[in-house]
Amino acid sequence: MKWAEFCRKFVEQVTHNHLRALFLKSNTTMSTTTTKTGHSFDRAILDSLLRRRLFYTPSFEIYGGERGLFDYGPPGCALQANIVDLWRKHFVLEEDMLEVDCTMLTPEPILKTSGHVDKFADWMCKDPKNGEIFRADHLVEQVLEARLKGNKEARGQTVEVDEAKEAKKKKKVKDTKAVKLDDAVVKEYEEILAQIDNFGGEELGQLIKKYDIKGPSTGAELDPPRAFNLMFSTTIGPSAGTPNGYLRPETAQGQFLNFQKLLEFNQQSMPFASASIGKSFRNEISPRSGLLRVREFLMAEIEHFVDPESGKKHERFEDVKDVKLVLLDRDTQLSGSTKTREVSIGEAVATKLVDNETLGYFLTRIQSFLLKIGVDRTKLRFRQHMANEMAHYAADCWDAELLTSYGWIECVGCADRSAYDLSVHAKKTGAPLCVRETRAEPLKIEEYQVDIEKKKFGPKFKKDAKTVEQAIEALTQDVREKLSLNLEKEGKIEVNVPGVGDGKVELEKDLIKIEKRTRIEHIREYTPNVIEPSFGIGRILYSMIEHVYWSRPGDEARGVLSFPPTIAPTKVLLVPLSNAPQFKPLVQKLTARLRRLAIANKIDDSSASIGKRYSRNDELGTPFGVTVDFQTLKDGSVTLRDRDTTTQVRASEDEIVAALKLLVDGEETWDDIKKRLPLFEGQDVD
Amino acid sequence: MKWAEFCRKFVEQVTHNHLRALFLKSNTTMSTTTTKTGHSFDRAILDSLLRRRLFYTPSFEIYGGERGLFDYGPPGCALQANIVDLWRKHFVLEEDMLEVDCTMLTPEPILKTSGHVDKFADWMCKDPKNGEIFRADHLVEQVLEARLKGNKEARGQTVEVDEAKEAKKKKKVKDTKAVKLDDAVVKEYEEILAQIDNFGGEELGQLIKKYDIKGPSTGAELDPPRAFNLMFSTTIGPSAGTPNGYLRPETAQGQFLNFQKLLEFNQQSMPFASASIGKSFRNEISPRSGLLRVREFLMAEIEHFVDPESGKKHERFEDVKDVKLVLLDRDTQLSGSTKTREVSIGEAVATKLVDNETLGYFLTRIQSFLLKIGVDRTKLRFRQHMANEMAHYAADCWDAELLTSYGWIECVGCADRSAYDLSVHAKKTGAPLCVRETRAEPLKIEEYQVDIEKKKFGPKFKKDAKTVEQAIEALTQDVREKLSLNLEKEGKIEVNVPGVGDGKVELEKDLIKIEKRTRIEHIREYTPNVIEPSFGIGRILYSMIEHVYWSRPGDEARGVLSFPPTIAPTKVLLVPLSNAPQFKPLVQKLTARLRRLAIANKIDDSSASIGKRYSRNDELGTPFGVTVDFQTLKDGSVTLRDRDTTTQVRASEDEIVAALKLLVDGEETWDDIKKRLPLFEGQDVD
């Protein structure tokens, strides 16, 4: 695109951009989050907790680390396993989906067909002086933002400080100088920032030139942006010299390639869904924001295959139609607002706000899953993709976004991918990735059919005969109708055949017949459409942790992670009052008993005070604690503590174990237990 | 190695080789397996079942497939998930291990240190004429075996046919010609085959030359063998032009790198174990044998860290000491036999047959895990590694091998990796991958200590001062003792300092003092040893399937997979007698009820006969079936069918659901149920 053309398009988009600018701004403002108890959220404290308690840790740290890669330690690993387990129950089991496990290694031709080889790329540019590499859009964004901030300072306006952004910027932007900018320039910068996601490589290059953006550490002129494919390439097998495959960027392709076998497994019955849980890979140019943008991540994806002519109805939609969702639709965003509204999914689908029942059904299922694992309902919204955000083939797309200290984060995408993927793979391989079903009533089709007098065709057109034939077969019904009339009227017709003679071929009545006839179709063949809910497990896990994190008044240095019992890494902490030997067999008996009930539990018999041991486990999110004390030696009773309220009850071991089973299975709440069993107020020694 | 030297070594090994030849032979003979009902096993029928029922399928089949990669379909995926789940309960939960989830992407330096970059390779050679590539040892093996077979034919001896081997050979060895060989040559061939695993690249090249082995399809002389590293390389990040990382070949390294953090998480308490479940990768030169040799596979690995001075005792060894294992030890193999013996692990450790308690403890835990998931006890043995099979640092190693139609397959390795990995990473990075503990009693150490008169040292040695100092610090106690005597006697000593002067340095009394003193050590610092049980989940899954597969007499075309209920993909099949509408609500109610109890179930309301529907599910390994029939409409009773015996009972829905819960949890067997509930013999309509 030429610069002039770019400017023209730019002006055309100004209205839209202003709205996006507004939107972006509101987005930033909202990132000052509060904890569930209404206190202001301090990310540094949470980060420190998560590392100290080994929820996760940068990979290969003793070798200096590798950006964008994280290892999960024991609590993070258990949390992740529990979330995956719940996901499998909530979706695969309850919805009777066909789970598959496909390989990550993927030969190149598959990803060429899917479009990833050509299009799954970001623009990067290089500082030729020191070899530093930047993601072009991020660089432009950060430099212009810094200049706008400098302008505000120069004008004596207050500057909102977003610490996360500041930290990022410090690395790339040398110093924010308090330089005043012209009003027009400010407006121009704001407009560019508003649509930073929409620029291609050439446009980014032009912006870098126009606004004199230089290498941050060298001041050198940057190389022009070039596309960097985000897939990791590798070589499969010993014969190829050069890379011939990739690590998958999504689990979806494996599911599409197995479509025919899955349909067969499902006894040819439609609709059905496949599902897959596994790692995918994305070679980020500059990974950042902890678990939110990493190079290797766990995904859980569903591909729900549906007949496009069914109106994408869903059998169980009736069951969910009154479920309310907080929606931020496309029109609202276009009107410059981020105001959400709470609508029942029944109404949303009836008014076509959400495209169809199947998409709507999954939005409610996504919501109930997220709420089950502990997401804060007030920090969840469904945002519809803008037209220019969606892949060209997508019919509609909604993201479940969670509010975190990094802003609203896309955690689940729910897209209608239409028939795109199955179609391209079928076209490339000739495999019948489609459904064939006997029509309940045979279909009568009236159409113009062409008969060719093959015996005369060959002699007349010789080596071109095939080409001419194909051109005739390809004629549309409209053209056929017209030609049929001409043929009748004039006894001959003229057909366009590119590449033969002068591109036109004359055909007489004895060579061709075109007639309107009725055809009966008994079998219907169609390519299913795909509704795809796609979950980024790491992003969900991190955002949820921000939602359940808080600290007790007066003890802000120590956090509490209020995981729901179902997903808590450890369900019960077992604490002997002291490490006196007579407690040991009791605790051992209890741990074995809970283990038999599949209740994950840990013993803490360290010499720290009970209070310290409990607060250590508050940080690990352990919902319940059982103490064995001198009273236990006398009457066999133990105490049970609730993490969130720190209240305790005391009862016989049998009663407490039964209560734990009900609590962990989610069949009773702490309130139920408190009503049933006597409260206990002694022993909480700090 | 020169040819002459090679021959000498060869002769030296003859005795050993003869034994190995015997061993190999017995190995092959045993591969004619039988099913659990004693019928001969037909792999082709099982393979067809597994593909038809979509347990697994070659990946990317519509694109022509990619060797060594398989996708798991719904039943295979559920089976795998259930095995992993059981593994996690059996090891991580019951043994209180620290589970971690580390990245697969691994920067090169880590795998350089671990030795994988240099040593994780196979020898391959290339046919220069058509570019075909062979694994050198496999090629030599197959050609010599074919010649031995041809010799037998020429001599009119019967030839044992192993179909799997034949199929493999057909691809690589043109035709087996009936050519008689000299007795000496036969012996030579047999000896080579007996130690085929021990040859390096140069030796394989010499064998190929000596025995005139040519390109199988071209007859061309082959290129010399070259090492092919089995890791998949890739490029992490946008800055590097060349590959700078690999996909991990094992999950172990991630666990070693996090050792310090895990120890800290475990409150500095030893011993402890970490564990990890995840994919690993191996770029096989020529993948084969279905799931047994693939390029991407699921592993579950445990690293148990233990104090080497503790005698590697295990706290719970007492609980398992009477467990019997079938062992094939090193000495027996060396004596030319494959005769196993059943020994209690207590005796095996006491007699030092198994090196230590911790290793022994894990062997029993591995066995109980394998038996739980359905492995046939008579097809399980533990084979000790020969000295030349183990990594040089390994102290002892036992493989759990399962007998399949491919022979005895290594499914779990259990090695004592000593302190090797932690030591090399600590040395490379300087990270303290060790344990520091306060000694119960401070240790008194008598030793020769050296005091250097630093003020005089500098002026005397100038730029060499540091080198001289380091050489002195490095002197052993023995040398120090000798020098101390010399210093006293002669007033001066001579110390070797390579690179300074003529390599010797003279030191007078005023420069150095060497005295015997007593030092008190309060802290003990040591590098833990590692016992590593390492599970190949795909191999276990496949071998177990062979063990539980059988067919009913008279219906050999249809198989039965007798998975234990715990790991069966689906636990219960729900079958309405017909698709009459009045059955539907009953079946729906039942499926929802089972789902709430987390019992995986499927409805089959297709129009096939009940017999057909049951036998379809026998192939899927579904252990129980519930039928809803006209009697159900009258009194609410349903029937329950047992897959293995096809016997049925009839009772109220409540009783049947309760029975299912007990059966699936493994708390009751079918025999228990049959005693409690009335048998039913009607309705089994074919």
Side-chain angles (χ1 to χ4, degrees):
Chain A
M1 181 157 47
K2 292 267 158 54
W3 178 244
E5 189 190 346
F6 169 51
C7 294
R8 190 179 45 75
K9 271 189 71 179
F10 200 74
V11 173
E12 278 168 14
Q13 288 199 340
V14 161
T15 330
H16 175 213
N17 295 345
H18 263 301
L19 308 175
R20 295 264 303 176
L22 244 172
F23 167 64
L24 261 189
K25 211 173 242 166
S26 67
N27 224 11
T28 315
T29 317
M30 290 183 84
S31 69
T32 316
T33 50
T34 55
T35 67
K36 52 181 271 178
T37 44
H39 295 86
S40 81
F41 172 80
D42 187 335
R43 194 198 297 148
I45 294 185
L46 176 60
D47 271 350
S48 139
L49 184 165
L50 294 175
R51 300 218 176 178
R52 191 158 26 89
R53 295 296 173 213
L54 210 48
F55 275 85
Y56 56 85
T57 180
S59 305
F60 316 112
E61 214 167 24
I62 67 172
Y63 277 81
E66 183 71 44
R67 285 167 68 205
L69 295 176
F70 291 89
D71 294 343
Y72 287 82
C77 195
L79 189 60
Q80 179 183 261
N82 294 341
I83 290 175
V84 165
D85 195 50
L86 195 68
W87 192 92
R88 194 173 263 136
K89 283 196 188 114
H90 188 84
F91 291 104
V92 180
L93 247 73
E94 278 198 34
E95 310 267 354
D96 216 3
M97 293 172 173
L98 305 183
E99 190 180 344
V100 296
D101 183 15
C102 305
T103 62
M104 298 167 200
L105 289 167
T106 309
E108 178 161 36
I110 287 100
L111 295 161
K112 182 79 187 167
T113 305
S114 69
H116 288 89
V117 171
D118 297 324
K119 289 178 192 158
F120 191 63
D122 277 342
W123 295 98
M124 67 172 202
C125 51
K126 191 172 166 182
D127 183 329
K129 219 162 178 175
N130 65 358
E132 262 190 290
I133 282 166
F134 308 94
R135 212 174 115 171
D137 54 346
H138 288 176
L139 182 66
V140 172
E141 188 181 9
Q142 284 154 15
V143 170
L144 298 195
E145 274 177 358
R147 289 183 189 169
L148 286 175
K149 194 181 147 221
N151 170 59
K152 279 195 175 176
E153 280 173 12
R155 291 176 187 228
Q157 296 167 337
T158 40
V159 179
E160 251 177 49
V161 178
D162 180 323
E163 283 178 37
K165 282 206 164 180
E166 284 312 299
K168 270 175 355 202
K169 243 179 282 175
K170 260 179 208 142
K171 286 190 195 142
K172 298 205 183 142
V173 183
K174 263 180 149 173
D175 277 309
T176 308
K177 284 181 208 127
V179 175
K180 199 180 155 195
L181 303 171
D182 280 352
D183 285 357
V185 173
V186 169
K187 203 176 147 203
E188 225 174 282
Y189 280 10
E190 278 173 352
E191 283 165 5
I192 289 166
L193 289 173
Q195 64 162 7
I196 193 75
D197 294 343
N198 299 335
F199 296 120
E202 201 175 337
E203 295 146 303
L204 288 166
Q206 285 157 346
L207 290 172
I208 288 170
K209 272 220 175 98
K210 183 171 179 205
Y211 296 117
D212 200 32
I213 296 172
K214 295 282 167 63
S217 28
T218 64
E221 196 160 313
L222 296 163
D223 287 348
R226 66 179 187 83
F228 174 72
N229 192 293
L230 298 174
M231 292 191 294
F232 289 94
S233 66
T234 191
T235 308
I236 305 172
S239 45
T242 49
N244 58 2
Y246 297 96
L247 295 177
R248 66 179 175 199
E250 57 176 9
T251 71
Q253 297 304 322
Q255 300 182 58
F256 297 138
L257 297 184
N258 282 308
F259 172 75
Q260 207 64 21
K261 292 173 188 168
L262 290 167
L263 179 64
E264 167 73 30
F265 183 84
N266 208 41
Q267 299 175 20
Q268 305 293 339
S269 160
M270 286 283 292
F272 75 91
S274 62
S276 193
I277 304 166
K279 290 270 183 93
S280 292
F281 302 82
R282 205 183 148 109
N283 200 2
E284 294 287 348
I285 293 174
S286 50
R288 52 184 189 175
S289 312
L291 292 189
L292 298 182
R293 190 172 290 279
V294 293
R295 288 180 170 148
E296 179 178 328
F297 47 92
L298 190 64
M299 289 184 98
E301 287 189 307
I302 295 163
E303 309 298 332
H304 180 91
F305 299 99
V306 60
D307 180 352
E309 283 184 20
S310 68
K312 303 184 186 175
K313 297 259 176 233
H314 195 287
E315 202 183 28
R316 297 208 219 169
F317 188 73
E318 193 59 24
D319 301 348
V320 302
K321 70 176 198 310
D322 296 326
V323 173
K324 294 205 161 179
L325 303 176
V326 172
L327 301 180
L328 173 55
D329 63 71
R330 192 180 294 151
D331 289 342
T332 305
Q333 293 170 66
L334 268 172
S335 79
S337 159
T338 57
K339 201 159 175 290
T340 55
R341 48 180 167 148
E342 204 169 357
V343 192
S344 78
I345 194 65
E347 191 194 326
V349 170
T351 57
K352 274 285 168 189
L353 180 56
V354 168
D355 187 70
N356 58 68
E357 282 190 3
T358 301
L359 198 57
Y361 177 76
F362 278 114
L363 294 184
T364 67
R365 294 289 294 159
I366 292 166
Q367 170 164 287
S368 56
F369 170 73
L370 292 173
L371 296 178
K372 260 190 207 171
I373 66 166
V375 158
D376 182 341
R377 182 186 275 277
T378 66
K379 294 177 179 173
L380 162 64
R381 73 179 184 192
F382 289 88
R383 190 178 71 79
Q384 190 173 28
H385 274 205
M386 309 296 286
N388 58 3
E389 273 181 281
M390 291 195 293
H392 63 91
Y393 51 80
D396 195 7
C397 183
W398 292 81
D399 284 344
E401 295 187 330
L402 300 179
L403 183 62
T404 73
S405 62
Y406 294 96
W408 283 99
I409 299 298
E410 171 201 344
C411 288
V412 188
C414 191
D416 182 334
R417 283 175 87 134
S418 74
Y420 176 77
D421 302 273
L422 291 180
S423 306
V424 293
H425 288 302
K427 193 173 164 212
K428 181 72 189 173
T429 62
L433 303 181
C434 59
V435 178
R436 287 170 58 85
E437 55 182 33
T438 309
R439 292 183 183 278
E441 288 199 19
L443 190 69
K444 274 191 190 175
I445 301 166
E446 292 228 313
E447 61 180 14
Y448 284 90
Q449 293 183 352
V450 179
D451 298 331
I452 286 168
E453 199 58 52
K454 292 213 177 184
K455 268 186 288 183
K456 295 184 183 167
F457 235 64
K460 175 155 189 190
F461 296 109
K462 305 211 169 68
K463 68 170 177 37
D464 292 329
K466 188 118 203 149
T467 316
V468 177
E469 241 180 275
Q470 282 170 346
I472 292 168
E473 295 291 352
L475 295 172
T476 62
Q477 286 294 319
D478 286 353
V479 175
R480 287 178 184 201
E481 185 176 358
K482 231 180 282 168
L483 291 177
S484 139
L485 293 174
N486 286 355
L487 194 60
E488 197 158 323
K489 231 175 9 189
E490 300 171 20
K492 62 178 184 184
I493 52 171
E494 212 177 55
V495 177
N496 293 328
V497 186
V500 173
D502 62 349
K504 293 196 173 183
V505 162
E506 210 181 66
L507 295 163
E508 312 252 327
K509 246 188 170 162
D510 62 327
L511 279 169
I512 193 166
K513 205 187 280 178
I514 306 182
E515 281 182 3
K516 192 169 192 176
R517 294 178 200 144
T518 303
R519 181 165 59 84
I520 309 286
E521 212 178 74
H522 294 274
I523 299 286
R524 184 178 153 234
E525 198 177 283
Y526 67 90
T527 304
N529 278 19
V530 177
I531 312 281
E532 180 192 76
S534 169
F535 297 69
I537 300 294
R539 287 183 165 201
I540 293 173
L541 182 143
Y542 175 78
S543 307
M544 178 273 291
I545 289 179
E546 276 204 7
H547 291 192
V548 302
Y549 165 78
W550 58 292
S551 55
R552 302 195 197 280
D555 192 12
E556 280 74 16
R558 290 239 179 213
V560 183
L561 291 175
S562 286
F563 298 126
T566 351
I567 63 148
T570 302
K571 316 300 182 194
V572 187
L573 175 74
L574 302 179
V575 199
L577 186 68
S578 72
N579 48 20
Q582 61 266 47
F583 293 133
K584 202 170 174 181
L586 295 173
V587 173
Q588 287 300 334
K589 202 185 98 202
L590 202 50
T591 187
R593 193 168 169 186
L594 291 174
R595 209 156 49 207
R596 270 200 304 279
L597 294 170
I599 298 176
N601 65 91
K602 296 261 178 208
I603 299 168
D604 186 348
D605 54 6
S606 69
S607 57
S609 73
I610 288 212
K612 279 247 173 63
R613 283 182 275 169
Y614 273 138
S615 72
R616 192 147 68 195
N617 276 276
D618 289 345
E619 292 200 332
L620 288 166
T622 309
F624 306 109
V626 171
T627 305
V628 168
D629 55 17
F630 290 107
Q631 191 66 29
T632 315
L633 298 174
K634 281 183 219 151
D635 63 8
S637 71
V638 294
T639 71
L640 173 61
R641 173 195 187 255
D642 171 54
R643 171 198 60 207
D644 293 350
T645 60
T646 71
T647 50
Q648 289 182 281
V649 296
R650 174 154 216 135
S652 73
E653 192 188 297
D654 285 351
E655 284 172 300
I656 295 294
V657 168
L660 280 171
K661 178 77 181 140
L662 292 167
L663 285 165
V664 167
D665 289 351
E667 286 173 28
E668 283 201 352
T669 65
W670 182 248
D671 276 343
D672 300 327
I673 301 296
K674 260 197 326 195
K675 273 178 214 149
R676 282 207 288 112
L677 301 178
L679 279 178
F680 176 71
E681 291 185 357
Q683 178 223 79
D684 210 357
V685 197
D686 249 312
Chain B
M1 182 158 44
K2 291 266 157 53
W3 180 242
E5 189 190 347
F6 171 51
C7 294
R8 189 179 46 74
K9 270 190 71 177
F10 200 75
V11 172
E12 279 169 15
Q13 288 199 339
V14 161
T15 330
H16 175 212
N17 296 343
H18 264 301
L19 308 176
R20 293 265 303 176
L22 245 173
F23 167 63
L24 259 189
K25 210 173 243 165
S26 67
N27 222 11
T28 316
T29 318
M30 289 183 84
S31 71
T32 316
T33 49
T34 55
T35 67
K36 53 182 271 179
T37 44
H39 295 87
S40 82
F41 173 80
D42 186 335
R43 194 197 297 146
I45 293 184
L46 176 60
D47 271 351
S48 138
L49 184 165
L50 295 175
R51 299 217 177 180
R52 192 157 26 90
R53 296 296 174 213
L54 210 48
F55 276 85
Y56 56 85
T57 182
S59 305
F60 317 111
E61 213 167 23
I62 66 171
Y63 276 81
E66 183 70 45
R67 284 168 66 205
L69 295 176
F70 291 89
D71 294 343
Y72 287 82
C77 194
L79 190 61
Q80 178 182 262
N82 293 341
I83 291 174
V84 165
D85 195 50
L86 194 69
W87 192 91
R88 194 173 263 136
K89 283 197 186 111
H90 188 86
F91 291 104
V92 181
L93 246 73
E94 279 198 35
E95 310 268 354
D96 216 2
M97 293 173 174
L98 305 183
E99 189 180 344
V100 296
D101 183 15
C102 305
T103 62
M104 299 167 199
L105 289 167
T106 310
E108 178 159 38
I110 287 101
L111 294 160
K112 183 81 187 163
T113 305
S114 69
H116 287 90
V117 171
D118 297 324
K119 289 178 192 158
F120 191 63
D122 277 342
W123 295 98
M124 67 172 203
C125 50
K126 191 172 164 181
D127 183 327
K129 220 163 178 174
N130 65 359
E132 262 190 291
I133 282 165
F134 308 94
R135 214 174 113 169
D137 54 346
H138 288 177
L139 182 66
V140 172
E141 189 180 9
Q142 284 154 16
V143 170
L144 299 195
E145 274 176 0
R147 289 182 189 169
L148 286 175
K149 194 180 147 220
N151 170 60
K152 278 195 176 176
E153 281 173 11
R155 291 175 187 230
Q157 295 166 339
T158 39
V159 179
E160 252 177 48
V161 177
D162 181 322
E163 282 178 38
K165 281 206 164 180
E166 284 312 299
K168 269 174 359 203
K169 242 179 285 176
K170 261 179 207 144
K171 287 192 194 139
K172 297 204 185 142
V173 184
K174 263 181 149 173
D175 276 309
T176 309
K177 286 181 206 124
V179 174
K180 200 180 155 193
L181 304 171
D182 280 350
D183 285 357
V185 173
V186 169
K187 203 177 147 201
E188 226 174 280
Y189 281 9
E190 277 172 354
E191 284 164 5
I192 288 166
L193 288 174
Q195 64 161 7
I196 192 76
D197 295 341
N198 298 335
F199 295 119
E202 202 175 337
E203 294 145 303
L204 287 167
Q206 285 157 345
L207 290 173
I208 287 170
K209 271 219 176 96
K210 183 172 179 203
Y211 297 117
D212 200 30
I213 296 172
K214 295 281 167 63
S217 27
T218 64
E221 197 160 311
L222 296 164
D223 286 348
R226 66 178 187 81
F228 174 72
N229 193 293
L230 298 175
M231 291 192 295
F232 289 94
S233 67
T234 191
T235 308
I236 305 171
S239 45
T242 50
N244 58 1
Y246 297 96
L247 295 178
R248 66 178 175 200
E250 57 176 9
T251 72
Q253 298 304 321
Q255 300 182 58
F256 298 138
L257 297 184
N258 282 308
F259 172 76
Q260 207 63 21
K261 291 174 190 170
L262 290 167
L263 179 65
E264 167 72 29
F265 183 84
N266 207 42
Q267 298 176 22
Q268 306 292 340
S269 162
M270 286 284 292
F272 75 91
S274 63
S276 193
I277 304 166
K279 289 270 182 92
S280 292
F281 302 82
R282 203 182 150 110
N283 200 2
E284 294 288 349
I285 293 174
S286 49
R288 51 183 189 176
S289 312
L291 291 189
L292 299 181
R293 191 172 289 280
V294 293
R295 288 181 169 147
E296 178 176 329
F297 47 93
L298 191 64
M299 290 184 97
E301 287 189 308
I302 295 163
E303 310 297 333
H304 181 91
F305 299 99
V306 59
D307 180 352
E309 284 183 19
S310 68
K312 304 184 186 175
K313 298 258 177 234
H314 195 285
E315 201 184 31
R316 298 207 218 171
F317 188 73
E318 192 60 24
D319 302 347
V320 301
K321 69 176 196 310
D322 296 326
V323 172
K324 296 205 159 179
L325 303 176
V326 172
L327 301 180
L328 173 56
D329 63 71
R330 192 180 294 150
D331 290 343
T332 306
Q333 294 170 66
L334 268 173
S335 79
S337 160
T338 56
K339 200 159 175 287
T340 55
R341 46 180 169 147
E342 204 170 356
V343 192
S344 78
I345 194 66
E347 193 195 325
V349 171
T351 58
K352 273 285 168 191
L353 180 57
V354 168
D355 187 72
N356 59 67
E357 282 190 2
T358 300
L359 198 57
Y361 177 77
F362 278 115
L363 294 184
T364 68
R365 294 289 295 158
I366 290 167
Q367 170 165 287
S368 57
F369 170 73
L370 291 174
L371 296 179
K372 259 190 208 171
I373 65 164
V375 158
D376 182 341
R377 182 185 275 276
T378 66
K379 295 177 179 173
L380 162 63
R381 73 180 184 193
F382 289 87
R383 190 179 71 78
Q384 190 173 29
H385 274 204
M386 310 296 284
N388 59 3
E389 273 180 283
M390 291 195 292
H392 63 92
Y393 51 80
D396 194 6
C397 183
W398 291 81
D399 284 344
E401 295 186 329
L402 300 180
L403 183 62
T404 72
S405 61
Y406 294 97
W408 284 98
I409 300 297
E410 170 201 344
C411 288
V412 187
C414 192
D416 183 334
R417 285 175 86 133
S418 74
Y420 176 76
D421 302 273
L422 291 180
S423 305
V424 292
H425 288 301
K427 193 173 164 214
K428 180 72 188 173
T429 62
L433 302 182
C434 59
V435 178
R436 288 169 57 85
E437 56 182 33
T438 309
R439 293 183 182 278
E441 289 203 15
L443 190 71
K444 274 192 190 175
I445 301 166
E446 293 229 312
E447 62 180 11
Y448 285 91
Q449 292 183 353
V450 180
D451 298 332
I452 286 168
E453 199 59 51
K454 292 215 174 181
K455 267 187 289 184
K456 295 185 184 167
F457 235 64
K460 175 152 188 193
F461 296 109
K462 303 209 171 70
K463 69 170 176 34
D464 292 329
K466 189 120 203 147
T467 316
V468 177
E469 242 181 274
Q470 282 171 346
I472 294 167
E473 297 289 355
L475 295 172
T476 63
Q477 286 294 319
D478 286 353
V479 176
R480 288 178 184 202
E481 184 176 359
K482 232 180 281 169
L483 292 176
S484 140
L485 293 174
N486 287 356
L487 194 60
E488 198 158 322
K489 232 177 7 190
E490 299 171 18
K492 63 178 182 183
I493 52 171
E494 211 178 55
V495 177
N496 293 328
V497 187
V500 174
D502 61 350
K504 292 195 174 181
V505 163
E506 210 182 67
L507 296 162
E508 312 253 324
K509 246 189 171 160
D510 63 328
L511 278 168
I512 194 167
K513 203 187 283 176
I514 306 181
E515 281 181 4
K516 191 168 193 173
R517 295 180 198 141
T518 303
R519 181 165 60 83
I520 309 287
E521 210 179 75
H522 294 273
I523 299 287
R524 182 178 156 235
E525 197 177 283
Y526 67 90
T527 303
N529 278 18
V530 177
I531 312 281
E532 180 193 75
S534 169
F535 297 69
I537 299 295
R539 287 182 166 202
I540 293 173
L541 182 143
Y542 175 79
S543 307
M544 177 273 290
I545 289 180
E546 277 203 8
H547 291 193
V548 302
Y549 165 78
W550 57 293
S551 54
R552 304 196 196 279
D555 192 12
E556 280 75 15
R558 291 238 179 213
V560 182
L561 292 174
S562 287
F563 298 126
T566 350
I567 63 148
T570 302
K571 315 300 181 195
V572 187
L573 175 74
L574 302 180
V575 198
L577 186 69
S578 72
N579 47 21
Q582 60 266 48
F583 294 134
K584 201 168 175 183
L586 295 172
V587 174
Q588 287 300 333
K589 201 184 102 203
L590 203 50
T591 188
R593 193 167 169 187
L594 291 173
R595 209 155 51 207
R596 269 199 306 279
L597 293 169
I599 299 176
N601 66 90
K602 294 260 179 209
I603 299 168
D604 186 346
D605 54 6
S606 68
S607 56
S609 73
I610 288 211
K612 281 248 173 60
R613 281 181 277 168
Y614 274 137
S615 72
R616 190 147 71 195
N617 277 276
D618 288 345
E619 292 200 332
L620 288 166
T622 309
F624 306 109
V626 171
T627 305
V628 168
D629 55 17
F630 289 107
Q631 191 66 28
T632 315
L633 297 174
K634 281 183 218 150
D635 62 9
S637 71
V638 295
T639 71
L640 174 60
R641 174 196 186 254
D642 171 54
R643 171 197 60 207
D644 294 350
T645 60
T646 70
T647 49
Q648 289 182 282
V649 296
R650 174 155 215 133
S652 73
E653 191 189 298
D654 285 352
E655 284 171 297
I656 296 293
V657 168
L660 280 171
K661 179 77 182 140
L662 293 166
L663 286 165
V664 168
D665 288 351
E667 287 174 27
E668 283 202 352
T669 65
W670 182 248
D671 276 344
D672 301 327
I673 300 295
K674 260 198 326 197
K675 272 178 214 148
R676 280 205 291 113
L677 300 179
L679 280 178
F680 175 70
E681 292 186 355
Q683 177 223 81
D684 211 355
V685 198
D686 247 316

